[in-house]
Amino acid sequence: MASRVNVKFVVLLAVVLTAAAGGTAFVAYKVVFKTPAELARRGDAKMAEGEFRAAELLYSKAVNKDPYNSVYLLKWRDALEQWVPDTDRELQTEFASTYRQLHNQLARSDNLANIDYQLEYLDLLMTWMRDQGFNRSSYEMLAKDADEYIKYQEPLHPDDPRVAALKRVRGMAWARIGLTGLDLTAEQAEQTREDFEAVLAADPDDYETMFMQVGLAQAALAKAQNAGRLTEAGRLTERIEQTLDDFIAANGSQSVAGTLGEMMRVQNSLREQVRALMAEHAGAAIPMIQKLRDEAQEFTVEAARRMASAPAGEVTTDVIRRLHALESQTNSKNDFAATLPLLKAQLAAHPDDESLTVLYAEVLSSRQEFAEDGLE
């Protein structure tokens, strides 16, 4: 038989507990029943007083009550960005557990309406993932998030270049998986190729996208060659050449972007010729390979000349690093006569650029010239 509840006892107990709690119960009532708008106003007051941590906590409570309201999320982000944590551990914790999640909610705020918030979130994820090292599931989730945004935004804004930027992220996510040697499905590989083509149509000088597109095709080409699928290998070779042709034509061979495209073509050609010579002549191919390198070095010198005359700002550390990589293959003297003058000129113009300094040290290390250049 079910027990009967003593209603009178329960009422009396509730009264006693409420009286005992006193002010604590009142405070709890205030916190629980504050509206998001009220919490945000209190956060605004704390921000005005410079109490960023207190403001951040209040905005977080407002967001907890209204999770996808962009107004509250932006206030919360502003408070987080102005607050200075006491320890590195606290900073890392806030970034891992709060800042990324905040941007995730912001990307989905206002019914997925704002494409800029989505791009900011994806960019944040890409940066974080590069620092963490490769993880396939992370890149799959990145592609999935980008795919969700694309499916919402593309029907509404088919000609918006920011949709191509979303496709760039999705393509990069799948490409990074594929370029580690892991398999993609035929559908994923095709979608990646289509994404990259859309990106290059919107931004023809996007070298990284072209580089990844060619890289995926080269990986597929190697697999086809090893498996003896000659027809497929021929088709992939043609695709690679067409991609490079289109990129160079779109940018002009004298531009930095066009020169990077030609550099990639030279590297590919040199690699294939060396492979063929070694397969046919084995050790006897060394003199012939040396001749090929010397001929390719002539182009490397020309590429450096073009970069030296390029408008300020176009020759980045990454561009010089790619020139250095090419010259590592073409310069038999290993003196980097093409790369060093360009690198030194950039260092003179940007003496505080740490990435240039690191690259300079790498080049000098390969030449064993630390003492001569005063870097002992």
Side-chain angles (χ1 to χ4, degrees), residues 127-298:
T127 301
W128 176 75
M129 287 162 62
R130 280 194 292 265
D131 292 339
Q132 296 300 307
F134 178 78
N135 181 292
R136 176 168 187 152
S137 62
S138 294
Y139 279 103
E140 287 176 340
M141 288 302 298
L142 179 66
K144 181 180 177 181
D145 285 340
D147 188 64
E148 178 186 2
Y149 306 147
I150 292 165
K151 288 177 178 176
Y152 179 85
Q153 298 290 353
E154 189 167 28
L156 298 175
H157 314 287
D159 299 321
D160 191 327
R162 293 174 299 175
V163 173
L166 290 173
K167 290 183 176 183
R168 186 183 195 275
V169 175
R170 183 172 64 183
M172 286 291 178
W174 290 124
R176 291 189 187 282
I177 292 172
L179 289 176
T180 62
L182 299 174
D183 288 332
L184 299 177
T185 66
E187 181 182 358
Q188 290 164 349
E190 182 63 19
Q191 182 181 74
T192 302
R193 186 177 68 83
E194 291 176 356
D195 282 346
F196 284 163
E197 288 177 353
V199 172
L200 289 170
D203 185 9
D205 68 348
D206 187 339
Y207 176 80
E208 185 181 9
T209 292
M210 186 278 290
F211 178 85
M212 297 292 275
Q213 185 178 28
V214 170
L216 280 175
Q218 288 174 327
L221 173 61
K223 290 180 180 180
Q225 289 173 330
N226 292 336
R229 299 193 299 268
L230 300 184
T231 301
E232 180 183 351
R235 177 176 56 80
L236 287 165
T237 299
E238 290 177 2
R239 179 186 297 176
I240 291 169
E241 287 301 313
Q242 189 62 56
T243 300
L244 288 168
D245 283 344
D246 292 345
F247 186 80
I248 294 167
N251 290 282
S253 61
Q254 297 300 307
S255 69
V256 171
T259 298
L260 287 170
E262 290 196 342
M263 285 165 54
M264 191 172 193
R265 169 172 285 161
V266 168
Q267 285 176 296
N268 292 345
S269 175
L270 184 60
R271 186 184 307 114
E272 288 302 315
Q273 290 182 79
V274 168
R275 181 181 299 152
L277 286 172
M278 290 299 295
E280 183 176 354
H281 302 286
I286 299 301
M288 291 178 275
I289 292 173
Q290 183 63 55
K291 182 180 178 182
L292 287 175
R293 294 181 68 190
D294 290 342
E295 292 172 352
Q297 177 64 10
E298 294 178 8

